[in-house]
Amino acid sequence: MKRLGIVLSTALLGLAAAWACTAEPALSHSERLDGKAVFLDSGCVTCHSVPSAGLTARVEKMKASDLVDLGERYEAEWVAKYLRGTEKLDGKSHRKPFKGSDEELQALVDWLLEQKSE
């Protein structure tokens, strides 16, 4: 009986090792989350355009700045703080602080900083 337990344990360990070798590497949260989807789901496109991604602000009278070339002007940490409402630009906080998770915010900031003018 003891021998059967050892054989089964060894077989299970072997299967687990084989599965671990074939499983895809784990992705970080920001790699799994799509920044563009976060942008759309959070309603950012209501006021902001991202021409490089083919996105135009939905409400023309509320149109805020286009969000391209941010990476040339700001660091990721500053953008994240501004979007959360804890940093100011020209003495003003973002009108609608980002309410999503830290992972969603990171995916959004990463995506925004990748957007370049054409």
Side-chain angles (χ1 to χ4, degrees), residues 1-64:
M1 189 61 129
K2 191 173 188 181
R3 182 177 262 186
L4 179 60
I6 292 172
V7 170
L8 287 175
S9 296
T10 304
L12 286 175
L13 285 173
L15 286 173
W19 178 81
C21 290
T22 60
E24 292 190 28
L27 300 175
S28 71
H29 286 290
S30 62
E31 288 175 315
R32 280 187 267 165
L33 292 173
D34 177 6
K36 183 177 181 180
V38 173
F39 183 86
L40 294 169
D41 292 345
S42 298
C44 304
V45 73
T46 302
C47 303
H48 293 281
S49 294
V50 184
S52 60
L55 300 174
T56 304
R58 291 183 183 146
V59 180
E60 194 61 36
K61 66 182 177 180
M62 294 181 66
K63 186 167 173 22

Side-chain angles (χ1 to χ4, degrees), residues 86-97:
T86 60
E87 189 67 58
K88 295 183 182 218
L89 176 63
D90 298 328
K92 297 179 182 178
S93 297
H94 192 263
R95 291 184 107 184
K96 184 180 176 192

